[in-house]
Amino acid sequence: MEFTFHQEDWQTIEQGEKDCYLLTNGLGGYSGLSIIGSAARGDQALLMAAKKAPNVRWHLITNVFEKLVVDKTEYILTSQRMKSGEDYQGFQYLQEFVHNDFDRESLQWKFLAGGVVLRKTILMPHGENTVAIKYEAENIEGKQVRLEVTPLLRFSAKKDIFDKEQTILFEHSNNRQEGHKIIANEYTVYLSTNAEVLQQEGHLFGEMYFSQDERDGREAYGDAYMNHSIVFDFKQNGTSDKYCGSMVFSTQPIPYTEDIYNTLLDKVNMYKEMLLRQAAVTSELGKQLVLSADAYVVNRDSTNGKSIIAGYPFFEDWGRDTMIALAGTTMVTGRFTDCKSILRTFAKYVKNGLLPNLFPEGDANPMYNSADAPLLFINAVYEYMEYANDYDFQAEIVPVLEQIVENYQKGTD
């Protein structure tokens, strides 16, 4: 299904912050900002990576600061509210935002500045802490066009505020195949691009104002760090009126090739096609729900299985939420192997008739603070066997269900 927004949807920056995009990677990591490209919350990010799936997450790159230069005239395409009140209002050049999961390039922005049309697309492959951006310029008047993109680096744990004292290093490479490195806090982000990369003296971006966080009583301000720029010269690669450039940020090395963006795009679309084949849903709405539901099915490293995350950008995977959402995310979508993995994970951690509402991380113990999750679990087991026609599962799971019922009869913790 196509979700399209136009300039009347963002007459002000406040209006543009009301709607957001979300891309996920099945690990708990995500890319999510407002549709005008601003961060209205400290947990919104261009690249939120999962260090340990699904909820040990690191905020690596908040955003990219984009400056389009047309015949020496500068146009700031970035939108961001600032603590100083001098906001970046790139949304005034944004003509259209489109999210269409059935289109090959599902997430697109269209800017118009100085007579040049700039299209931007973003993708995030499944199973990787990777985000890729492609820019395409339409320059029919043959103007001198340059796009300067500066990553806003954060490199902090998801729940932490930005540490202004940390050291964030940039390692420039003259070998395009090898790529560049951004290093901080034992984390390395690899940058692959066909553009010129210029190292600059490191400095702070300035405190961003997170209006939605202030409304909720959270930290209202946060900064980021800048130490390099990625420069696309849209006149250097030929005489056509269309020019493309791409860049990839990842926690794993991805050697640059001229077809790197399309290779990742093929991977994204092959995964979507697999989900739709598995679900065997025919209606357009049904197909959209299958793809949307996938955002919440994640790996859980601590149990070597699957889980369901309760929401983005804040929430983790909780027992109650998982059992409520299990049918819609895994059963009607035909993901029976994932469903059974989740049920087995929770069955393993049943204690005195209770299910964990929060799983253990590191040396922490599970938290058993949900009275209704075990009852929802019993219902989910029944629904699974009905949907999957897997009645052999009874022999394995019924003893766990009996334990829940017995403990509820005599009183749980």
Side-chain angles (χ1 to χ4, degrees):
M1 298 178 69
E2 182 173 300
F3 302 89
T4 303
F5 298 81
H6 298 96
Q7 283 186 310
E8 59 265 24
D9 297 306
W10 48 73
Q11 295 295 309
T12 64
I13 196 168
E14 294 87 351
Q15 190 178 6
E17 287 181 341
K18 291 181 179 179
D19 297 293
C20 306
Y21 80 85
L22 174 68
L23 299 174
T24 63
N25 64 2
L27 305 174
Y30 59 87
S31 177
L33 294 162
S34 75
I35 60 172
I36 60 172
S38 65
R41 294 187 181 279
D43 282 334
Q44 290 184 318
L46 177 69
L47 178 56
M48 182 73 73
K51 186 175 184 180
K52 183 178 180 182
N55 53 13
V56 180
R57 292 176 280 190
W58 274 72
H59 187 148
L60 298 179
I61 303 175
T62 296
N63 205 346
V64 287
F65 186 78
E66 298 160 323
K67 180 170 69 177
L68 185 68
V69 184
V70 181
D71 287 346
K72 298 183 180 180
T73 300
E74 297 182 354
Y75 303 90
I76 303 301
L77 304 184
T78 297
S79 296
Q80 182 59 53
R81 298 174 77 176
M82 305 296 291
K83 183 178 181 179
S84 65
E86 298 179 5
D87 302 332
Y88 295 102
Q89 301 187 48
F91 64 89
Q92 63 186 314
Y93 305 114
L94 181 60
Q95 301 286 298
E96 184 178 73
F97 169 83
V98 179
H99 189 179
N100 184 352
D101 275 321
F102 303 144
D103 192 352
R104 176 170 164 79
E105 294 184 296
S106 59
L107 204 63
Q108 302 181 44
W109 289 260
K110 176 185 174 183
F111 295 89
L112 175 62
V116 173
V117 174
L118 184 73
R119 286 185 170 84
K120 172 183 176 180
T121 59
I122 295 182
L123 62 80
M124 175 171 259
H126 186 78
E128 300 179 18
N129 290 309
T130 298
V131 66
I133 305 176
K134 184 182 78 171
Y135 297 99
E136 182 181 38
E138 292 184 15
N139 181 19
I140 59 176
E141 297 179 15
K143 297 181 178 182
Q144 294 294 324
V145 179
R146 188 174 76 254
L147 178 66
E148 300 175 8
V149 180
T150 305
L152 305 183
L153 310 172
R154 180 156 165 176
F155 280 79
S156 61
K158 179 179 181 293
K159 296 180 180 179
D160 294 347
I161 62 173
F162 174 73
D163 179 8
K164 295 183 180 181
E165 304 302 319
Q166 69 178 312
T167 300
I168 302 179
L169 302 175
F170 179 76
E171 291 188 3
H172 188 280
S173 173
N174 292 319
N175 186 339
R176 181 178 289 181
Q177 293 284 69
E178 182 180 290
H180 314 276
K181 296 178 183 178
I182 312 163
I183 304 170
N185 287 322
E186 302 179 0
Y187 237 121
T188 299
V189 170
Y190 298 87
L191 165 62
S192 296
T193 181
N194 62 338
E196 182 182 12
V197 180
L198 303 176
Q199 193 163 358
Q200 57 184 240
E201 185 176 347
H203 61 281
L204 294 173
F205 174 62
E207 289 201 274
M208 294 168 279
Y209 170 44
F210 305 133
S211 60
Q212 303 302 305
D213 279 347
E214 182 180 55
R215 182 196 66 182
D216 295 344
R218 300 170 184 266
E219 184 66 36
Y221 305 104
D223 215 326
Y225 193 71
M226 311 164 82
N227 59 16
H228 68 282
S229 292
I230 303 154
V231 181
F232 298 93
D233 183 348
F234 288 116
K235 286 292 290 181
Q236 68 181 1
N237 294 326
T239 58
S240 169
D241 60 358
K242 287 189 177 181
Y243 310 91
C244 288
S246 64
M247 57 189 184
V248 180
F249 299 99
S250 181
T251 58
Q252 62 191 49
I254 300 182
Y256 181 81
T257 65
E258 291 299 326
D259 210 34
I260 186 171
Y261 188 87
N262 285 330
T263 299
L264 293 172
L265 190 59
D266 287 342
K267 184 175 182 179
V268 168
N269 283 287
M270 287 173 63
Y271 180 71
K272 288 182 182 179
E273 290 168 6
M274 181 274 294
L275 291 175
L276 293 174
R277 283 197 308 270
Q278 189 171 246
V281 174
T282 57
S283 72
E284 183 182 23
L285 177 59
K287 290 178 180 179
Q288 180 63 64
L289 291 172
V290 167
L291 298 179
S292 297
D294 176 66
Y296 301 89
V297 181
V298 293
N299 290 351
R300 169 156 275 287
D301 288 344
S302 67
T303 61
N304 195 30
K306 294 286 186 179
S307 190
I308 295 176
I309 209 159
Y312 298 91
F314 303 129
F315 305 125
E316 301 176 358
D317 55 333
W318 298 329
R320 172 191 293 114
D321 301 70
T322 298
M323 293 306 128
I324 291 171
L326 198 60
T329 52
T330 65
M331 297 181 205
V332 299
T333 57
R335 302 176 68 156
F336 299 128
T337 300
D338 291 341
C339 185
K340 184 183 277 191
S341 170
I342 294 168
L343 293 172
R344 281 175 166 159
T345 294
F346 279 90
K348 177 182 176 182
Y349 280 92
V350 168
K351 178 183 178 183
N352 297 332
L354 295 178
L355 264 67
N357 209 36
L358 285 175
F359 275 100
E361 297 293 350
D363 297 327
N365 293 318
M367 294 180 64
Y368 294 88
N369 58 348
S370 172
D372 54 345
L375 306 179
L376 292 164
F377 175 75
I378 294 173
N379 186 64
V381 168
Y382 169 74
E383 288 181 322
Y384 164 74
M385 291 191 297
E386 288 284 292
Y387 272 109
N389 197 27
D390 182 8
Y391 295 100
D392 292 340
F393 190 46
Q394 288 185 86
E396 174 185 341
I397 203 68
V398 163
V400 179
L401 308 187
E402 290 176 338
Q403 181 192 149
I404 292 171
V405 173
E406 289 169 2
N407 276 275
Y408 267 62
Q409 287 175 331
K410 67 182 182 182
T412 69
D413 294 338

